[in-house]
Amino acid sequence: MTHRISIIAIGCAIAISAGGCASFGPKPWEKDLMARKEMQIDPHPMLTAADNHIFFSKEASSGGRGFAGGGCGCN
Amino acid sequence: MQLKPMTGKRTGHFRESLAAFSATLLAATLATHGAEAQDSSSSNENNNFGPGTAYTQIDGALLVYKEAGGRVQAIEPALDTQIHSADGYVLNVELIADAVSGATPNGAVPSDLSQTFTTPVRVTANSATGAGGEGEGEGGGTGAGTGTGGTTTVTGASGGSTVVSSGGTASRQYTVAPNTLPVDKGFRDRRYAANVNWSQPLGDLTLVGFGAGFSREHDYRSITANVRAAQNFDSNNTTVSLSLNMELDSSFPFGGIPTPLTAMDGAWKTPKERSKTQTGFVIGLTQVMTRRWLTEIDYAFNMQHGYENDPYRIISVVAPSTGEPTSYLYENRPNNRQTQSLFWDNKIDLDPTVTDVSFRFFTDNWGIKSETVAVSERLNVGSSFYVEPDVRWYHQTAASFYRYYLVAGQPLPAYVSSDTRLGAFTSLTYGTKVGFYLSDRTELYLRVAYYQQTGNGHPAGTFGQLRNQDLFAGTKAFFAFVGYTWDFH
C-alpha cells in the first residue's frame, strides 16, 4: 500500500512537472492573491536564513528549501 | 564558530561596534524612508515593483540571540541588496557579520566532584594568549607568568580559567564545580560572510543563476558555490528547479587538530588545519494548486567528505562502578556523511489570514532521522499591519556513534561523540512576527522567538554518581530579529 502511494505521488509529480496537467491551477486572471507578498513562498529570506542558521547550529539536520552552509555553527 | 578563550575587552568592543553599525544601518534606512515617504506623496510616484520592472531592494536586519544559563550569545547585523533589471536580470549581494561569545558545553558529563580541564595556550614574553586566528597576541586570556620551573598558577586569565606553567610549557585550565554541566566559559568568535548571486533568463529557460559565498571565523573558513536553473510551465503555475551546490570548509582550531580518541591535554597539536568538501543538489517543484493554495516540494541530497570532528569537543571516560570521570578523550566522527531531506511547504490564503504549513523529513548515514513540522498563521490587520504567530516542532534520533560517556576498561569505539546535537531530542520553537508597511515601498518587521530542546538526561544503564546527574545538555534560547525592507527605482 505504501509503495502504491509512493508510486502515485511520484507519478503525479512527474506529470505536473512535465506539464501534463495543462489545466492545473488558476487562470492568469485568478492570480490576484498569489501576487501578494504574503503569498510568496519565502517573503523574508533573511529572516528564514537567520532561523535556519540557528537550527543548523543546534540540530543535526539541515536542508529543506535550500542548501545550508557558510559557517561552522559549532557553539 | 568554535571554542576559544576570549578577551572580554576586545569582544565587548566588537559587539559595541556591531551594535553601533546595526543602529546606524536601521537609522539610515528609516531616515531614507522618511525622505522617500515624502517623495511618494507626489502623484507621479511609481510604486510598481516586480517582474518587468527595474528596481532595487535593500534589506537591513539585525539578529540578537541569547541562550539561557549564560551560554552562547550573539549579535548579527546583515545587509542584503538586490538589483533587478526590467528584463529579469538580478544581482544579489549579502553581507553578514556576527559576534558570538559565552559558554559552551565541552562534552563532558557532570560529576559530584569538581572537574578540571586543560587546553593549549600560547605564551609570549609575559603574557599568555588563548585564541588564534588573527595572529600572535590576538585575543585570549591573559596573565603574567612569573614562575621558573615547577608549577605556577597565574590568576587573572579571562573566562574563569587560569594559565599553568610547568617546566617551560604552559596550558590553560578551567575548573567546573561539582554537579554542574561542564562548559568552557571563555570563548568568543567573530564571523564575516559575503554572498553574491546572479540570475537571469537564458534562452528557453526561465532562470539560470550562479553564486558564491565566503564565510570566515577565527578558526573556520567556508567557501561555497552554486549553479541553478528553473523553468516555468503551465501559465507559470508550475516551476521546476535544480540547484547544484559545492562547499569547502576548513577548520584550523586554536591549539591545532587533536588526534581523535587521545586524552585532552594542553599540548599543541598537528596538523594545524583539516578540511572537508560538500557537494549536493536540490530539486524543487512549486505548484499553484488553486487561487488560494501554493505548494512546494524540495528534495535535497548532500555528500560530505573530510574532517567532520568538533576539534574542541571531548567525551568523559568514567570509572565502571562509581561513574566518576577518569579522563577525557577528543571525539571522533566518520569522515563521510550523506544526508537527504524532503521538504513540503504549503501556503493557504484564508483571507484575512494566510496559513503556512511545512514538513521536513531528514535522514543520513550516521543513523540520524528527523521530522520537522512548522506552522504559522498570518493575520492582516488593516492594510498596513499584520501579526504572525508561529510554532515549530522538531525531533531527531541519535547518531549511531553518540554516547553520553565511555566506561574505563571497555574497548574504545572507532567513532564516538557526546555532542548533544548528535543525540536524540525534541525541540519546540514559539515565535511571533509583526510587520508594518510604512509605505508601498517599505516594510519594518520584528520577530521574537523562544527555542527549547528537551531530551533524556537520565538514560537507562547509568550507574554510580551519574544516576544523580542530568546528562542532557540541551539548549534554551531567546532570539529577536528586526528587519527593514526598502524598494526603490
Side-chain angles (χ1 to χ4, degrees):
Chain A
M1 184 64 182
T2 307
H3 279 293
R4 195 173 300 167
I5 291 170
S6 302
I7 291 167
I8 291 169
I10 292 168
C12 189
I14 292 170
I16 291 169
S17 61
C21 305
S23 59
F24 210 61
K27 302 298 180 192
W29 56 89
E30 296 175 317
K31 290 190 178 175
D32 53 328
L33 299 177
M34 289 294 154
R36 289 157 54 175
K37 182 170 182 178
E38 57 262 41
M39 284 303 283
Q40 288 179 16
I41 205 82
D42 187 6
H44 295 113
M46 294 181 81
L47 176 56
T48 306
D51 268 4
N52 285 341
H53 192 74
I54 291 169
F55 298 137
F56 163 73
S57 299
K58 298 295 164 189
E59 299 171 349
S61 308
S62 59
R65 178 176 288 125
F67 177 73
C72 176
C74 290
N75 293 314
Chain B
M1 287 156 281
Q2 297 184 329
L3 177 75
K4 75 276 301 165
M6 65 186 268
T7 302
K9 198 173 178 181
R10 292 187 65 100
T11 303
H13 176 71
F14 182 66
R15 198 181 299 138
E16 286 165 13
S17 301
L18 278 185
F21 169 73
S22 310
T24 305
L25 183 74
L26 289 171
T29 46
L30 282 166
T32 311
H33 158 70
E36 171 273 326
Q38 286 185 342
D39 290 347
S40 68
S41 62
S42 72
S43 57
N44 296 326
E45 190 60 39
N46 177 4
N47 283 325
N48 183 22
F49 301 97
T53 309
Y55 70 100
T56 299
Q57 182 180 75
I58 293 180
D59 287 345
L62 176 69
L63 170 69
V64 177
Y65 174 90
K66 188 171 177 58
E67 291 181 5
R71 281 161 63 169
V72 177
Q73 52 183 320
I75 181 166
E76 179 179 306
L79 182 66
D80 182 89
T81 303
Q82 289 181 35
I83 302 170
H84 298 253
S85 77
D87 44 4
Y89 291 61
V90 181
L91 173 66
N92 181 290
V93 179
E94 183 184 32
L95 303 172
I96 301 169
D98 64 25
V100 187
S101 61
T104 191
N106 65 10
V109 291
S111 167
D112 58 359
L113 304 174
S114 65
Q115 302 186 76
T116 298
F117 302 93
T118 305
T119 68
V121 70
R122 177 179 292 129
V123 178
T124 54
N126 59 357
S127 69
T129 300
E134 289 194 350
E136 299 283 335
E138 162 62 26
T142 59
T146 56
T148 54
T151 300
T152 302
T153 299
V154 182
T155 57
S158 64
S161 58
T162 58
V163 175
V164 174
S165 175
S166 177
T169 60
S171 59
R172 183 176 71 94
Q173 293 187 347
Y174 59 97
T175 299
V176 174
N179 305 311
T180 304
L181 177 71
V183 296
D184 189 341
K185 293 180 179 173
F187 88 86
R188 60 120 171 89
D189 210 339
R190 310 166 190 176
R191 184 172 71 107
Y192 304 95
N195 297 298
V196 179
N197 281 282
W198 171 265
S199 64
Q200 64 174 82
L202 183 67
D204 292 336
L205 282 171
T206 308
L207 178 150
V208 294
F210 55 87
F214 181 78
S215 171
R216 177 72 156 84
E217 300 164 41
H218 273 123
D219 52 6
Y220 201 82
R221 181 179 58 243
S222 183
I223 302 168
T224 59
N226 71 79
V227 182
R228 57 197 186 280
Q231 180 66 52
N232 292 345
F233 301 96
D234 187 22
S235 305
N236 294 335
N237 280 334
T238 306
T239 303
V240 178
S241 64
L242 172 66
S243 171
L244 306 176
N245 309 286
M246 288 146 284
E247 182 166 333
L248 173 63
D249 300 323
S250 299
S251 177
F252 31 92
F254 179 79
I257 302 279
T259 303
L261 306 179
T262 60
M264 179 193 206
D265 63 19
W268 285 78
K269 280 87 174 173
T270 54
K272 290 182 177 176
E273 179 174 336
R274 293 281 309 271
S275 61
K276 75 169 182 288
T277 56
Q278 298 192 52
T279 51
F281 65 86
V282 182
I283 299 175
L285 169 65
T286 307
Q287 177 68 44
V288 184
M289 302 295 284
T290 70
R291 179 170 170 255
R292 295 181 177 275
W293 179 18
L294 175 66
T295 194
E296 176 182 354
I297 300 174
D298 291 308
Y299 169 78
F301 177 82
N302 181 246
M303 198 163 50
Q304 305 174 11
H305 184 76
Y307 187 68
E308 297 275 4
N309 293 353
D310 180 340
Y312 302 105
R313 196 161 292 272
I314 54 174
I315 182 167
S316 300
V317 180
V318 302
S321 55
T322 63
E324 297 291 357
T326 60
S327 64
Y328 309 99
L329 304 183
Y330 292 108
E331 68 157 38
N332 193 30
R333 308 182 188 189
N335 67 356
N336 71 80
R337 188 181 187 197
Q338 282 106 44
T339 70
Q340 298 180 77
S341 67
L342 187 65
F343 175 74
W344 181 29
D345 191 14
N346 294 278
K347 286 220 161 216
I348 303 160
D349 189 319
L350 302 169
D351 197 18
T353 65
V354 175
T355 304
D356 190 310
V357 186
S358 69
F359 308 88
R360 183 185 65 180
F361 304 94
F362 171 94
T363 184
D364 71 4
N365 66 333
W366 286 3
I368 296 168
K369 295 184 190 305
S370 76
E371 300 89 38
T372 312
V373 181
V375 181
S376 71
E377 187 74 22
R378 170 171 162 150
L379 174 62
N380 293 324
V381 182
S383 59
S384 59
F385 176 68
Y386 64 88
V387 181
E388 185 175 334
D390 64 85
V391 60
R392 174 185 183 269
W393 176 88
Y394 170 85
H395 175 75
Q396 71 175 46
T397 62
S400 58
F401 54 89
Y402 174 79
R403 300 284 185 278
Y404 288 88
Y405 50 82
L406 294 172
V407 180
Q410 295 186 358
L412 275 181
Y415 304 108
V416 67
S417 175
S418 62
D419 189 341
T420 302
R421 290 165 288 196
L422 297 177
F425 66 84
T426 300
S427 78
L428 274 170
T429 310
Y430 307 95
T432 298
K433 179 165 66 176
V434 293
F436 307 87
Y437 291 110
L438 302 171
S439 73
D440 290 336
R441 302 169 154 223
T442 54
E443 180 186 2
L444 177 66
Y445 57 99
L446 168 72
R447 178 166 179 265
V448 293
Y450 180 72
Y451 174 82
Q452 180 170 13
Q453 295 177 345
T454 52
N456 185 3
H458 302 279
T462 53
F463 49 86
Q465 66 91 22
L466 294 171
R467 281 200 299 259
N468 303 320
Q469 307 292 350
D470 182 359
L471 303 184
F472 180 72
T475 302
K476 296 175 184 173
F478 167 84
F479 46 99
F481 187 97
V482 58
Y484 185 80
T485 301
W486 175 39
D487 294 341
F488 60 93
H489 292 286

